[in-house]
Amino acid sequence: MTTEDTQTLNGLDVGQLQATVEALRDQPVLAQFEFRASNSWIDGGENHSTIQSFYGAGQEDTSREQPFVFATGEPPVLLGNNEGANPVEFLLHGLAGCVTTTTVLHATARGINIQSISTRLRGDIDLQGLLGLDDDVSPGYRSITIDMEIEADCSDEEIESLLETARGHSPVCTTVCRPVPVTINRVTTQRAVA
Amino acid sequence: MTTEDTQTLNGLDVGQLQATVEALRDQPVLAQFEFRASNSWIDGGENHSTIQSFYGAGQEDTSREQPFVFATGEPPVLLGNNEGANPVEFLLHGLAGCVTTTTVLHATARGINIQSISTRLRGDIDLQGLLGLDDDVSPGYRSITIDMEIEADCSDEEIESLLETARGHSPVCTTVCRPVPVTINRVTTQRAVA
């Protein structure tokens, strides 16, 4: 690569982005990723997740020297003490981040300079579902709305096209919009016989 | 309420749980919640979410004096600097927390004492979808597996029944398992004419 390849746009290294796209196009196996989280219950509505390693681009990632740790909690009206944001709020955070990053990624691939993006999300949920009070009520979000303000050096039509691409290619947005199978296995630790 | 109602199980106030269930059964409108997140793009794969208020139980919640703030980032292999966990990892965290809290909630309603719960999650994703390299590849998680270790003062059959309930009633698990509509609106701030 030449030094020209280190040019950045929207904070992304354009040469690295192009090289990544080419590598995955040539070797689709490199696009297979496994992300992970470990979680431990503390008490009541409080539990903590640890996120560090993942597999991707053909190998275990070792770039994170320390894990990320997040506390889940619940507000008093949901029997907690605000020990952290609650799980459905973390889902909104993941969705906001994913739609934003997907927009920035595709803008960069198209050579569009983004000035700013901000989003406000709201999700409607009927807690009769969680509590099993009405079998006709789905426990999940009924719908989620994302209001996005975006300023970029391009036409309105190019922005609309970019948002259409982000909507269709965001991994979290797609996971929410489409049915994804979740399997829960009960496992027991093998204990050595004394 | 008598003082007997302040008995706790699994860190939850049993009297408050029963009162909440009764209140929502009598007035389902109290079960309607709106959760929210606001997010701002920083640069590249970094953006920050702020989570504080929500609507539920018939009113705006004001219990959080300070907002929760979370940074999204990406690892170097995905063009970032590990500014935070990435969006699909946050989704796993939300899922872990939700399945755990739903398990604890229904255990408490059944009078089951939980000793410990820990989960390990892994989700498979093909990044050809995100990058738009293959239209046949969904950008979202292909599947998510949750391995749960749980110790509780009850029979294996009661634990299996509890996990079946958690699987069917967890809001994040249901949001992932079933299609949930996500709408992205582009909004523009009204600027006053000078």
Side-chain angles (χ1 to χ4, degrees), chain B:
Chain B
M1 286 187 207
T2 64
T3 50
E4 279 77 359
D5 288 328
T6 61
Q7 172 196 352
T8 63
L9 178 62
N10 302 319
L12 296 177
D13 182 317
V14 175
Q16 192 194 353
L17 174 57
Q18 290 168 343
T20 301
V21 169
E22 285 310 311
L24 300 192
R25 201 191 302 273
D26 290 348
Q27 291 187 266
V29 69
L30 297 179
Q32 311 307 313
F33 277 63
E34 179 185 276
F35 292 103
R36 305 164 186 149
S38 297
N39 184 282
S40 293
W41 176 56
I42 307 299
D43 204 16
E46 182 178 5
N47 56 72
H48 296 178
S49 286
T50 301
I51 291 172
Q52 185 166 15
S53 73
F54 63 87
Y55 179 91
Q59 60 189 346
E60 281 289 313
D61 185 84
T62 57
S63 67
R64 295 162 171 174
E65 294 182 8
Q66 297 294 326
F68 299 112
V69 180
F70 304 106
T72 302
E74 293 290 351
V77 71
L78 295 174
L79 314 182
N81 299 300
N82 281 325
E83 305 89 345
N86 79 10
V88 290
E89 292 175 320
F90 273 110
L91 184 143
L92 293 183
H93 164 56
L95 180 57
C98 197
V99 167
T100 298
T101 299
T102 304
T103 301
V104 171
L105 193 61
H106 283 275
T108 306
R110 295 176 189 190
I112 298 171
N113 182 54
I114 303 228
Q115 293 169 16
S116 65
I117 300 177
S118 63
T119 53
R120 289 186 303 280
L121 288 79
R122 54 186 191 280
D124 293 312
I125 203 161
D126 183 336
L127 292 187
Q128 293 181 94
L130 164 65
L131 295 168
L133 296 177
D134 185 340
D135 288 344
D136 292 335
V137 171
S138 173
Y141 274 118
R142 195 156 35 204
S143 66
I144 299 172
T145 303
I146 305 175
D147 288 337
M148 177 186 282
E149 289 191 68
I150 175 169
E151 299 289 336
D153 298 336
C154 65
S155 68
D156 268 1
E157 290 70 24
E158 285 173 300
I159 288 187
E160 291 300 333
S161 165
L162 193 56
L163 294 195
E164 188 62 33
T165 298
R167 189 182 289 116
H169 293 79
S170 156
V172 174
C173 193
T174 307
T175 299
V176 169
C177 287
R178 300 185 195 172
V180 172
V182 178
T183 306
I184 305 181
N185 301 316
R186 183 181 171 202
V187 296
T188 49
T189 305
Q190 297 296 325
R191 290 193 181 84
V193 176

Side-chain angles (χ1 to χ4, degrees), chain A residues 38-94:
Chain A
S38 297
N39 184 283
S40 293
W41 176 55
I42 307 299
D43 203 16
E46 182 178 5
N47 56 72
H48 295 178
S49 286
T50 300
I51 291 173
Q52 184 166 15
S53 73
F54 63 88
Y55 179 89
Q59 59 189 346
E60 282 288 314
D61 184 84
T62 57
S63 67
R64 295 163 172 172
E65 294 182 8
Q66 298 294 326
F68 299 111
V69 179
F70 305 106
T72 302
E74 293 290 351
V77 71
L78 296 174
L79 315 181
N81 301 298
N82 281 325
E83 304 89 344
N86 81 10
V88 290
E89 291 174 319
F90 273 110
L91 184 142
L92 293 184
H93 165 55

